[in-house]
Amino acid sequence: MHLGFVTLACLIHLSEVFAASVPRNIAPKFSIPESEQRNWSPYSPYFPLAEYKAPPAGCEINQVNIIQRHGARFPTSGAATRIKAGLSKLQSVQNFTDPKFDFIKSFTYDLGTSDLVPFGAAQSFDAGLEVFARYSKLVSSDNLPFIRSDGSDRVVDTATNWTAGFASASRNAIQPKLDLILPQTGNDTLEDNMCPAAGESDPQVDAWLASAFPSVTAQLNAAAPGANLTDADAFNLVSLCPFMTVSKEQKSDFCTLFEGIPGSFEAFAYAGDLDKFYGTGYGQALGPVQGVGYINELLARLTNSAVNDNTQTNRTLDAAPDTFPLNKTMYADFSHDNLMVAVFSAMGLFRQSAPLSTSTPDPNRTWLTSSVVPFSARMAVERLSCAGTTKVRVLVQDQVQPLEFCGGDQDGLCALDKFVESQAYARSGGAGDFEKCLATTV
Ligand SMILES: *[C@@H]1O[C@H](CO)[C@@H](O)[C@H](O)[C@H]1NC(C)=O
Ligand SMILES: *[C@@H]1O[C@H](CO)[C@@H](O)[C@H](O)[C@H]1NC(C)=O
Ligand SMILES: *[C@@H]1O[C@H](CO)[C@@H](O)[C@H](O)[C@H]1NC(C)=O
Ligand SMILES: *[C@@H]1O[C@H](CO)[C@@H](O)[C@H](O)[C@H]1NC(C)=O
Ligand SMILES: *[C@@H]1O[C@H](CO)[C@@H](O)[C@H](O)[C@H]1NC(C)=O
Ligand SMILES: *[C@@H]1O[C@H](CO)[C@@H](O)[C@H](O)[C@H]1NC(C)=O
Ligand SMILES: *[C@@H]1O[C@H](CO)[C@@H](O)[C@H](O)[C@H]1NC(C)=O
């Protein structure tokens, strides 16, 4: 796996200085090319999209707001059920016509469900370590980061592994704690669970599977006579490559198998692009509104003023300094891919020139799920003081975003007031969309 030079340099530097704090596991290579790992789409390990660049001369960061996806995990229970259904069809075959399939006869599916895997915990630890190295000037033992997590176990584990990495990098001088867990049953700006009327991405994903998978499916069925795999089965079987690999931390035989079926990983990746785009992204009418609550909290932090939101926020929590302190210099929130996609889309990041086609991928699209929300994805919103002017810069996987929507300059900087102005959709509570979320469907 490729590590950005800065990340690598920073980790090497840290390991020299703080031998005891070296992470257990600096992103294992898995002996799989990065291009293939990126085709794992939402199951791609974290890759920096650029080397982190310090802000331009004359600018000093005075606050950072981080939102991060949980690290690598086991399949969810729904995915596990679908994977097992495809596997059992394959394993009912007595004789494969291709010896490359023979490993399947003795293959046992033994993964857990939904939880963080050790590699995912290590990714989170590494991220905490990196944030300390990058932003240590912003914190002290009496100015700790303020940390929140969505209530699901894997996200909580991500947050606590991150704080462990952070503390370790500081040689335990600074020991942040997870300050607040937002229960998934309540108002929760770190989960996309408050918009029952929102549609799903199934129609677009299914259309793509029907268009791109038949040749993959046919090759599987040819090697496994009588298995009768469907396109959806084929898709689920491809997912065994990432899931087995990140769980066992070694290349899965399923990766080798699908490397022999040209186009299978690319077809899988684009299904993931469509899934996120039409799930809570630009392609879903009620997708972006689910990121509005988080953005309004972000605006409150950036401007040091009370939260003004009528969507997903818990107004009780956000009105209390213990649970929503203002004037902090570092905030870190832990969440999920679908929520982060909603935040990016509500904010205006990764805009596409046209909706994604369900049959003909645009090779120039910038909406790649592996770039937008890989495992352990992160956005950092930095507030800076530049010669007396307060500015904002947004980085996603360490890549400075252009912020064309608020007049971003060549360094990706917008004046804070222009950034706030640009977030009209969030400030209006989603221009009426949140009400549609709750409207009873006919
Ligand atoms: C599978 O292959 C073996 C060895 O070639 C053969 O003896 C057996 O009859 C085959 N079984 C089926 C179900 O085709
Ligand atoms: C890290 O995550 C793992 C789950 O993968 C969990 O069991 C462990 O308790 C976490 N460690 C810390 C320090 O929170
Ligand atoms: C809001 O937070 C308060 C304080 O934790 C909690 O008692 C309440 O149940 C929450 N309400 C909702 C709707 O999330
Ligand atoms: C595949 O389809 C054939 C014909 O419909 C059927 O006999 C066979 O049992 C099916 N195999 C599986 C694994 O479902
Ligand atoms: C939770 O959100 C709903 C929808 O915006 C709102 O009606 C309710 O007052 C909120 N509850 C709290 C405690 O903020
Ligand atoms: C905000 O924090 C800064 C430095 O951390 C401090 O100088 C200032 O007094 C604080 N302001 C408020 C209103 O608490
Ligand atoms: C993709 O971008 C390249 C370079 O800008 C351009 O030559 C090409 O026509 C574009 N392809 C499509 C399908 O838009």
Side-chain angles (χ1 to χ4, degrees):
M1 177 187 309
H2 163 83
L3 270 178
F5 286 116
V6 163
T7 312
L8 191 55
C10 139
L11 293 172
I12 288 166
H13 170 71
L14 280 167
S15 64
E16 283 164 358
V17 179
F18 312 129
S21 73
V22 179
R24 180 187 68 73
N25 177 348
I26 303 174
K29 289 184 166 57
F30 305 137
S31 311
I32 298 175
E34 180 183 325
S35 56
E36 181 179 321
Q37 294 191 45
R38 286 186 188 249
N39 278 332
W40 298 351
S41 209
Y43 313 134
S44 167
Y46 172 74
F47 293 98
L49 292 174
E51 272 185 50
Y52 179 79
K53 267 177 40 191
C59 291
E60 205 171 329
I61 299 171
N62 57 35
Q63 183 187 73
V64 64
N65 297 272
I66 293 164
I67 184 168
Q68 178 158 327
R69 184 186 179 202
H70 58 76
R73 59 157 170 77
F74 292 122
T76 58
S77 63
T81 302
R82 292 188 291 271
I83 288 168
K84 285 190 243 175
L87 258 182
S88 88
K89 287 189 190 177
L90 263 187
Q91 292 187 317
S92 72
V93 175
Q94 301 290 316
N95 285 352
F96 295 111
T97 62
D98 179 342
K100 290 204 233 33
F101 284 65
D102 283 342
F103 78 92
I104 291 167
K105 291 183 190 165
S106 57
F107 176 79
T108 310
Y109 180 82
D110 61 354
L111 302 185
T113 306
S114 299
D115 288 334
L116 208 56
V117 296
F119 169 63
Q123 289 180 298
S124 312
F125 184 98
D126 287 358
L129 194 147
E130 185 184 78
V131 166
F132 176 78
R134 188 171 293 168
Y135 298 110
S136 58
K137 280 192 188 139
L138 293 178
V139 292
S140 66
S141 55
D142 43 46
N143 182 22
L144 296 175
F146 186 77
I147 299 172
R148 300 185 306 177
S149 167
D150 167 65
S152 74
D153 290 348
R154 63 182 176 275
V155 181
V156 171
D157 281 341
T158 295
T160 53
N161 275 277
W162 188 95
T163 58
F166 192 100
S168 167
S170 80
R171 282 191 279 187
N172 292 322
I174 302 180
Q175 301 194 33
K177 61 179 199 311
L178 173 54
D179 294 285
L180 185 65
I181 297 175
L182 299 174
Q184 296 196 299
T185 48
N187 290 16
D188 181 355
T189 52
L190 299 175
E191 175 63 303
D192 61 321
N193 61 351
M194 290 179 65
C195 191
E200 301 200 336
S201 56
D202 295 357
Q204 289 82 12
V205 173
D206 291 349
W208 171 248
L209 294 188
S211 129
F213 265 78
S215 76
V216 176
T217 310
Q219 287 179 69
L220 292 174
N221 282 326
N228 305 341
L229 297 167
T230 64
D231 295 328
D233 290 328
F235 170 85
N236 292 318
L237 290 167
V238 177
S239 79
L240 273 169
C241 160
F243 282 131
M244 293 305 296
T245 301
V246 299
S247 301
K248 308 288 184 190
E249 297 183 29
Q250 66 176 48
K251 183 176 181 177
S252 161
D253 289 333
F254 281 97
C255 301
T256 312
L257 181 76
F258 285 105
E259 283 166 6
I261 302 186
S264 52
F265 285 118
E266 289 78 4
F268 181 83
Y270 193 60
D273 296 348
L274 292 170
D275 181 38
K276 299 304 163 194
F277 186 82
Y278 289 102
T280 51
Y282 292 104
Q284 178 58 247
L286 298 181
V289 71
Q290 301 180 69
V292 159
Y294 175 82
I295 291 181
N296 285 329
E297 292 180 330
L298 172 67
L299 296 178
R301 290 165 169 179
L302 288 169
T303 58
N304 199 19
S305 51
V307 178
N308 185 357
D309 179 73
N310 295 307
T311 68
Q312 285 173 212
T313 47
N314 181 323
R315 274 69 125 181
T316 311
L317 292 175
D318 281 9
D322 281 353
T323 48
F324 199 87
L326 291 169
N327 205 31
K328 296 291 289 187
T329 45
M330 184 183 289
Y331 297 93
D333 287 311
F334 294 88
S335 180
H336 298 269
D337 53 358
N338 293 339
L339 185 279
M340 288 174 64
V341 164
V343 168
F344 296 164
S345 306
M347 188 181 285
L349 304 178
F350 299 105
R351 266 208 183 111
Q352 302 302 295
S353 51
L356 301 195
S357 162
T358 58
S359 59
T360 319
D362 174 357
N364 293 339
R365 72 192 178 282
T366 53
W367 189 275
L368 302 167
T369 289
S370 60
S371 298
V372 177
V373 282
F375 281 137
S376 203
R378 62 213 61 171
M379 172 174 75
V381 179
E382 297 174 343
R383 189 183 67 193
L384 310 93
S385 170
C386 305
T389 309
T390 305
K391 299 199 170 173
V392 169
R393 188 169 83 144
V394 177
L395 300 101
V396 177
Q397 330 326 351
D398 288 357
Q399 185 176 55
V400 176
Q401 300 301 302
L403 304 194
E404 67 288 349
F405 50 80
C406 55
D409 68 12
Q410 75 279 5
D411 296 308
L413 294 167
C414 277
L416 174 60
D417 55 358
K418 295 288 179 210
F419 179 77
V420 171
E421 220 172 89
S422 74
Q423 298 305 301
Y425 179 72
R427 289 187 294 110
S428 73
D433 287 344
F434 191 70
E435 290 69 22
K436 293 181 196 159
C437 280
L438 304 176
T440 43
T441 42
V442 189

